[in-house]
Amino acid sequence: MPVIRAMSTRANDGSERRGGRAGREGGPGGRPQREGRAGGRDSAHGMDLTTDPGHDSLVDVPGGVRLQKVLAAAGVGSRRRCEELIGEGRVEVDGEIVRRYGARVDPDHQIIKVDGRRIPSRQDLVYLALNKPPGVLTSMSDDRGRPTISDFLGDRAERLFHVGRLDYDTEGLMLLTNDGELAHRLAHPRYGVAKTYLADVAAPLPRDLGRRLISGIELEDGVASADKFRVVEQAGSRALVEITLHEGRKHIVRRLLAEAGHPVSRLVRTRVGPVALGNLRPGTTRALTTREIGELYAAVGL
């Protein structure tokens, strides 16, 4: 496992240059020297960089997993690419930049970030996107035998939480995870995670409809408003509009547009925060990418 990194030295003119060619990288083609080949020591200085306090001060977790292995398992990149990220100072553990390839960490309890974005380091956590078809309950079971979202998840061993809800007749993007803290924050109005919908509504549309929706419309349980609104297309008696809002009240999009005089005949959620529905087919799931998970963490302050 690599233990030597290319360190920056400062030339006489004050600029930085990489010192790996002087023996710090050691391996052919500038590759980091590995344990067993050089005993985990800097051959130029006789210094053990796995414990050098000037390198970084993170305390290794006894029995922990090597940092680059955790990064690779989380989907950050190949083991070699993860070593490069560590050497470039782009990885931090519990708020501290770590520059040792061989640093041992606890992926179940420590917070690991790359370029400031948290990564899903726990291997037991699952993050899925589902394209919910219409006529399906946002529930894991139903005593009346109606279709539920669990019908599309297969025989998964994990207990998954659905993040928020979609109405029975509403279709589109749902997030599912067994990361309880993330699911709770994504659904909590305090964090204001935006959700975007495409709605088929009655036309023609008045030119001031977007302004009215963004300004707010009084409903029976208080004022509701959109964050963004645009007309995608309009033809005859129907129009397709896109509406973004961070509210989570029941039937909020349908009620808001109906109160504005444009009842919804079809509603599809296309985005939750940074995660887009894309080309995901109805009734199918996909695993979220490492980047998407990191952006969801960031959106709710985790």
Side-chain angles (χ1 to χ4, degrees), residues 165-194:
R165 307 183 71 85
L166 282 179
D167 303 336
Y168 182 74
D169 291 325
T170 300
E171 56 197 285
L173 179 63
M174 292 202 68
L175 302 182
L176 300 110
T177 181
N178 56 349
D179 186 334
E181 178 63 16
L182 179 62
H184 169 73
R185 292 198 181 200
L186 286 172
H188 199 289
R190 170 185 173 187
Y191 297 97
V193 177

Side-chain angles (χ1 to χ4, degrees), residues 75-288:
V76 173
S78 67
R79 191 80 64 90
R80 179 67 188 277
R81 176 55 182 156
C82 293
E83 291 167 357
E84 292 172 352
L85 292 172
I86 295 170
E88 293 165 4
R90 296 166 62 183
V91 179
E92 60 184 85
V93 179
D94 289 343
E96 179 176 346
I97 293 177
V98 179
R99 299 180 181 275
R100 287 171 294 138
Y101 299 137
R104 291 187 176 274
V105 299
D106 180 353
D108 289 343
H109 296 97
Q110 291 183 293
I111 295 176
I112 302 171
K113 295 183 178 181
V114 176
D115 292 334
R117 298 277 184 173
R118 184 173 173 179
I119 66 163
S121 55
R122 283 179 52 184
Q123 295 301 295
D124 61 325
L125 293 181
V126 175
Y127 305 85
L128 298 176
L130 165 69
N131 186 348
K132 183 187 97 64
V136 173
L137 289 175
T138 301
S139 174
M140 292 303 180
S141 63
D142 180 58
D143 55 9
R144 295 165 55 185
R146 291 172 294 180
T148 68
I149 58 175
S150 64
D151 297 334
F152 305 99
L153 300 178
D155 297 325
R156 304 194 68 95
E158 308 90 358
R159 182 191 176 199
L160 298 178
F161 305 94
H162 49 81
V163 178
R165 307 183 71 85
L166 282 179
D167 303 336
Y168 182 74
D169 291 325
T170 300
E171 56 197 285
L173 179 63
M174 292 202 68
L175 302 182
L176 300 110
T177 181
N178 56 349
D179 186 334
E181 178 63 16
L182 179 62
H184 169 73
R185 292 198 181 200
L186 286 172
H188 199 289
R190 170 185 173 187
Y191 297 97
V193 177
K195 303 170 185 68
T196 300
Y197 299 80
L198 285 176
D200 187 343
V201 299
L205 304 178
R207 300 182 67 176
D208 68 342
L209 178 59
R211 179 187 59 77
R212 289 174 57 206
L213 291 170
I214 292 172
S215 297
I217 292 178
E218 183 74 38
L219 303 178
E220 66 272 17
D221 55 352
V223 175
S225 61
D227 298 327
K228 298 178 182 178
F229 177 84
R230 72 183 181 97
V231 178
V232 178
E233 62 183 34
Q234 186 171 188
S237 62
R238 306 305 304 174
L240 184 66
V241 301
E242 183 181 76
I243 183 170
T244 299
L245 67 172
H246 59 271
E247 293 235 24
R249 283 181 275 174
K250 189 174 182 179
H251 306 303
I252 188 64
V253 176
R254 292 180 184 273
R255 291 194 292 137
L256 183 60
L257 288 167
E259 187 66 26
H262 301 277
V264 174
S265 60
R266 184 185 179 194
L267 187 63
V268 182
R269 186 158 68 192
T270 59
R271 180 176 288 272
V272 176
V275 182
L277 180 63
N279 296 321
L280 190 63
R281 297 190 311 276
T284 62
T285 63
R286 70 168 177 85
L288 298 189

